[in-house]
Amino acid sequence: MSTSTRHRPRTPATNTPRVVVPLWTTAVTAVVAAVTIAVVALLSGPRHSRPPAAAPAPPVTAVAATIDGQDIPVRELALYLAQERSATFTHFRQKFGAEDGPGFWTTEHDGRTPAAYLRERALADVTRVTVTLHLAHDQGLLADSGYDAFLRNWQTENARRRTAVAAHQVIYGPVQYTESNYFTYVLNNLAAALRDRLTATRAITTPDSALRSWFTTHRADFPHQSFTTAHEQVRQAYVLARYQALIDHLAGSAHVRVHDRVFDAVPVV
């Protein structure tokens, strides 16, 4: 299988301590049934006209890319393709006047097709998430950063919710999570926990001088407030910016190896 290696621009590094203490959502083994790419693609985003199939769709378990040693299966990549599809369609419609139709995804504009652009965006997304999961593992917030572990926990959580509903117990949130929605839910909670852990371990520090400087630079974000009254909001905004810069650096430094034959054959619609 042919592969290609891609690197991203680097941003300034932030050192973080490595602490490994297993913690994930409740870990209970479950057998996950295989699903087709067509099902995964329905998880989010509108559908547009299909291009002619260049090659048979690879199995959902096939490895589309490897990021810092972590294999990314087609099933996981398909989540990001679905999430980025609408933005890609809008980009080519607004910038090039491209219209929906049989040739939309395969027509070149400035040397690039919408399908290639969409795959690039999806690859950037999955790279950013993968380095986030690796950081969470290093910080002791995640026992297993692989997608298989996520799928097991998703199935377990939905089984728990089905049991609770059958027993007429109160549950919060949906009766059943979709794969895409549960992934977003887990990532949002994990990012919040990571920010707390990084500040608690002083990997991200919040000296008063830095917060005052941030307040002055972003004064418009805190109208009619003094630094004292806005202190906690300023601290949260500053920590978020530092955290995002750290993830940007890790994503830019990641070793990304694309398995071209599989990656290019994953359907974009």
Side-chain angles (χ1 to χ4, degrees), residues 11 13 20 33 39 50 79 88 95 100 105 121 125 132 143 151 161 171 181 186 191 201 211 225 227 239 242 250 255:
T11 54
V20 180
V39 173
R50 292 180 178 276
L79 286 176
T88 297
K95 186 171 183 178
D100 193 10
W105 294 100
R121 288 180 65 106
D125 289 346
T132 300
L151 290 174
R161 287 171 176 269
I171 63 170
N181 287 343
V186 169
T201 59
L211 297 184
Q225 290 179 287
F227 174 73
V239 168
R242 290 287 305 278
L250 294 174
H255 182 269

Side-chain angles (χ1 to χ4, degrees), residues 58-239:
V60 295
T61 55
V63 177
T66 302
I67 300 170
D68 285 345
Q70 179 77 54
D71 286 341
I72 308 301
V74 166
R75 179 171 185 160
E76 182 178 2
L77 179 65
L79 286 176
Y80 300 97
L81 289 169
Q83 290 169 2
E84 291 286 3
R85 188 179 302 119
S86 180
T88 297
F89 183 81
T90 299
H91 170 78
F92 278 86
R93 182 179 59 192
Q94 292 180 347
K95 186 171 183 178
F96 302 105
E99 296 294 337
D100 193 10
F104 173 81
W105 294 100
T106 55
T107 300
E108 287 192 0
H109 303 272
D110 282 353
R112 183 163 53 172
T113 66
Y117 178 87
L118 173 58
R119 289 191 177 98
E120 289 174 10
R121 288 180 65 106
L123 183 62
D125 289 346
V126 74
T127 299
R128 188 176 177 85
V129 168
T130 299
V131 300
T132 300
L133 296 178
H134 285 176
L135 179 60
H137 179 270
D138 289 348
Q139 291 293 320
L141 299 175
L142 192 60
D144 188 335
S145 60
Y147 201 67
D148 285 346
F150 160 77
L151 290 174
R152 288 193 297 271
N153 286 293
W154 170 51
Q155 294 287 340
T156 298
E157 177 61 19
N158 276 345
R160 183 190 72 79
R161 287 171 176 269
R162 286 193 299 271
T163 300
V165 169
H168 306 290
Q169 297 174 353
V170 176
I171 63 170
Y172 298 95
V175 173
Q176 294 285 275
Y177 279 105
T178 66
E179 184 175 344
S180 178
N181 287 343
Y182 190 62
F183 199 54
T184 299
Y185 168 77
V186 169
L187 285 175
N188 287 343
N189 287 342
L190 199 58
L194 258 176
R195 293 194 295 273
D196 290 343
R197 177 60 59 86
L198 293 172
T199 53
T201 59
R202 297 188 63 78
I204 293 178
T205 58
T206 57
D208 201 59
S209 58
L211 297 184
R212 287 184 179 278
S213 177
W214 178 270
F215 177 74
T216 300
T217 303
H218 300 83
R219 189 67 182 85
D221 295 336
F222 310 98
H224 314 300
Q225 290 179 287
S226 66
F227 174 73
T228 301
T229 58
H231 185 274
E232 181 56 24
Q233 293 172 266
V234 172
R235 189 193 69 81
Q236 291 179 7
Y238 178 77
V239 168

